[in-house]
Amino acid sequence: MDFTPTDEQRQLVEMVRSFVQKEIVPLETELPPDAGRLPEHVAAPLRRKVEQMGLECWDAPSEVGGPGLDVITQTLLAIEMSQHRAGLYTPCYGLFGGGGLANLYDADEDQKKRYLYPTMRGERRGFFALSEPSGGSDPARAIRTKAVRDGDDWIINGSKMWISGVVDADYGIVVARTGEGRGGLTQFIVDKDTPGLTMTRVIPSLRRVEEPTELEFDNVRVPDANRLGEEGKGFANAAGRLVKVRIPYSAQCVGVAIAAHRLAVDYAKIRETFGRKLAQQQGIQWMLVDNEVDIDTARLLVLQAAQLADAGKNVKREAAMAKLYCTEAASRVIDRSMQIHGGLGVAAEMPFERWYREMRIRRIGEGPNEVQRLVIARELLGGAASIRGEKK
Ligand SMILES: Cc1cc2nc3c(=O)[nH]c(=O)nc-3n(C[C@H](O)[C@H](O)[C@H](O)COP(=O)(O)OP(=O)(O)OC[C@H]3O[C@@H](n4cnc5c(N)ncnc54)[C@H](O)[C@@H]3O)c2cc1C
């Protein structure tokens, strides 16, 4: 496989890299360590710069007015956008838009007008609610929230748990049971102010931005016009989205790992112990080398998944491998880079402690890593791919 970037990709990467290094990284010295948003007077001029680059709503397809970048270009840009302290969960503080909209790209035109376009313009915000108190890693079995048809409406009852972004959102995509088994799940767009929908609590966790929440649905009435996709296709559509989302999700981990490693290399060259620079001590060199190997392997796996996705292949296995490996490799890179910094590594003035906390969630969110291993095992043992990964 050839991952040499095209001239256009190289230019886009350079543009985003320079934006992150010149505009975002310096800002973070002034922001609180867990900041998730920029004050509007700071964000507004930066947003105009993003518009000049033609990269607002950078991951949207051209049919809905986005730049229509292929998956590999999106992957290269996701690696760049996340190379700063808030980069894992809020790359460039949301200035490039996108994120969490993937389901709405397949909405009907009326739904796009009411939800997708206003969200792309920054006027509305959504959440995605799949997980429930009964479980998130096996949603096809765990989902108990029910939607029952009532004339032109649906009545939803049940609860959702661990749902991110609810506090700032004004609508959400909710997966509910309309029948039995995997074919009995349907997605609905639900306005947050619909009577009967309550955010019962925020669940404080390792991540201080977009804290997860619990939601209760008590006879929530939703018009059929808000059914997203066909009845009974909710699991297939959500699973399809999860596979696509896993590629940029993995790429962001690579970006953060690169940022952590860069700091470790620079520090090792200036810090002295036992009469020599850290960079001259073999124990430290080996840590840096292990970082290099982890980052290159992770990068190649995510680029492979992206390239196959662009070629229209089923990338279940490759997206699962990228998610599994990138999250674990990035956790190791952050840990080693933190260690190389000694006490400074755990200080809130450095980005490592935030990356360390947030990266831990990445092995659980978007399909826990055990489930990714299960997906790969199914593909391997079910005969969908040979042991060298060649598609049958
Ligand atoms: C900060 C945060 C934000 C989140 N945001 C969202 C969101 O916005 N929307 C949303 O829908 N969900 C969200 N989630 C939920 C997340 O997707 C689930 O936590 C995840 O899917 C795991 O579900 P669970 O917690 O119910 O664990 P369970 O399903 O109860 O599983 C428990 C553990 O057992 C492991 N396990 C399960 N089956 C097997 C097996 N067969 N073999 C080996 N191990 C197994 C799992 O991997 C997991 O580690 C979020 C979670 C967190 C922590």
Side-chain angles (χ1 to χ4, degrees), residues 86-369:
L88 196 59
Y89 281 99
T90 43
C92 294
Y93 296 89
L95 292 167
F96 288 84
L101 290 171
N103 299 51
L104 289 177
Y105 298 146
D106 301 324
D108 65 33
E109 202 44 45
D110 164 58
Q111 292 167 346
K112 280 181 183 155
K113 277 189 193 137
R114 289 186 291 134
Y115 295 98
L116 176 65
Y117 301 132
T119 309
M120 289 174 71
R121 292 194 297 270
E123 297 158 12
R124 301 198 78 169
R125 288 170 80 93
F127 59 83
F128 178 68
L130 179 77
S131 306
E132 300 203 356
S134 48
S137 58
D138 180 17
R141 286 182 188 79
I143 288 178
R144 310 262 185 279
T145 296
K146 266 195 180 156
V148 177
R149 187 90 194 216
D150 182 35
D152 286 339
D153 296 335
W154 293 83
I155 311 289
I156 303 180
N157 278 291
S159 53
K160 294 281 173 188
M161 195 163 172
W162 305 115
I163 310 307
S164 306
V166 176
V167 174
D168 293 326
D170 64 336
Y171 71 91
I173 296 169
V174 176
V175 187
R177 186 160 293 290
T178 50
E180 296 302 313
R182 278 176 180 239
L185 295 170
T186 305
Q187 296 189 42
F188 298 92
I189 310 174
V190 183
D191 289 313
K192 205 172 97 180
D193 60 3
T194 311
L197 172 55
T198 321
M199 191 185 83
T200 44
R201 67 173 174 134
V202 174
I203 311 167
S205 74
L206 289 174
R207 193 182 73 197
R208 308 278 145 72
V209 291
E210 299 202 339
E211 285 186 305
T213 53
E214 196 164 348
L215 299 172
E216 284 294 327
F217 295 76
D218 180 12
N219 288 317
V220 174
R221 184 173 285 273
V222 177
D224 189 52
N226 277 28
R227 175 170 42 78
L228 183 60
E230 276 177 59
E231 189 180 335
K233 289 279 162 57
F235 185 75
N237 292 346
R241 167 196 180 271
L242 291 179
V243 169
K244 279 190 215 145
V245 168
R246 261 165 218 158
I247 297 174
Y249 192 85
S250 308
Q252 289 160 358
C253 298
V254 176
V256 166
I258 291 171
H261 181 46
R262 185 187 296 127
L263 288 173
V265 169
D266 289 349
Y267 192 68
K269 286 183 185 165
I270 55 165
R271 183 73 170 176
E272 279 188 19
T273 65
F274 298 93
R276 283 190 301 169
K277 303 274 192 256
L278 287 179
Q280 292 167 306
Q281 325 265 6
Q282 195 177 47
I284 300 291
Q285 288 175 357
W286 286 11
M287 284 196 231
L288 294 173
V289 168
D290 289 346
N291 278 358
E292 284 276 298
V293 176
D294 272 337
I295 290 170
D296 265 21
T297 317
R299 193 170 167 279
L300 289 170
L301 275 174
V302 70
L303 290 175
Q304 166 183 265
Q307 199 173 76
L308 289 169
D310 280 333
K313 305 273 187 206
N314 172 356
V315 291
K316 241 185 189 177
R317 167 185 179 275
E318 288 74 17
M321 279 181 146
K323 197 276 177 178
L324 169 64
Y325 194 84
C326 292
T327 54
E328 295 186 0
S331 301
R332 292 192 292 268
V333 171
I334 292 166
D335 188 73
R336 288 187 206 107
S337 304
M338 206 172 196
Q339 190 72 13
I340 288 169
H341 279 77
L344 194 55
V346 298
E349 68 198 66
M350 296 298 284
F352 300 108
E353 63 88 29
R354 178 167 178 179
W355 289 333
Y356 189 80
R357 283 185 279 117
E358 293 187 344
M359 194 62 79
R360 185 63 189 85
I361 301 170
R362 292 250 153 163
R363 285 152 54 194
I364 295 170
E366 292 295 342
N369 285 8

